[in-house]
Amino acid sequence: MMKVHVDQDRCQGHGRCYLAAPELFAADDLGNGREIGAGPVPAGLEHQAQLAVANCPEGAVAMEETS
Ligand code: SF4
C-alpha cells in the first residue's frame, strides 16, 4: 500500500497537490495542503499521487510504501 504525506514545515500553500489529486489531498483553513485521512493511495490513484509529488514546488509531498 502506498501512502502520501505533506510536510507541513515545507508547504507554502500553492495548492497544486489538492488541484492535481483532490481524492488524496485537501486544503486546510490557510490553504495549505494536507493528505486526506492517513494518506492511503487507493488502487488506480497512483498516477495522481505521483503528479502531486512532481508538481509541489516546495518538495513537500512525499509518497512512500507502507507494509
Ligand atoms: S502543492 Fe506543495 S506547497 Fe502547495 S499546498 Fe500542496 S504541499 Fe503545499
Side-chain angles (χ1 to χ4, degrees), residues 5-8 10-18 25-26 31-34 52 55-61:
H5 175 70
V6 175
D7 182 339
Q8 294 299 312
R10 289 189 176 196
C11 177
Q12 296 294 318
H14 300 287
R16 293 188 189 175
C17 55
Y18 47 83
F25 302 92
N32 288 350
R34 288 187 181 275
N55 282 287
C56 175
E58 308 298 333
V61 181

Side-chain angles (χ1 to χ4, degrees), residues 7-63:
D7 182 339
Q8 294 299 312
D9 290 335
R10 289 189 176 196
C11 177
Q12 296 294 318
H14 300 287
R16 293 188 189 175
C17 55
Y18 47 83
L19 291 176
E23 305 90 343
L24 302 174
F25 302 92
D28 68 11
D29 292 344
L30 299 175
N32 288 350
R34 288 187 181 275
E35 65 276 6
I36 294 175
V41 179
L45 291 181
E46 295 90 349
H47 180 65
Q48 277 97 325
Q50 287 168 348
L51 271 180
V53 172
N55 282 287
C56 175
E58 308 298 333
V61 181
M63 181 165 55

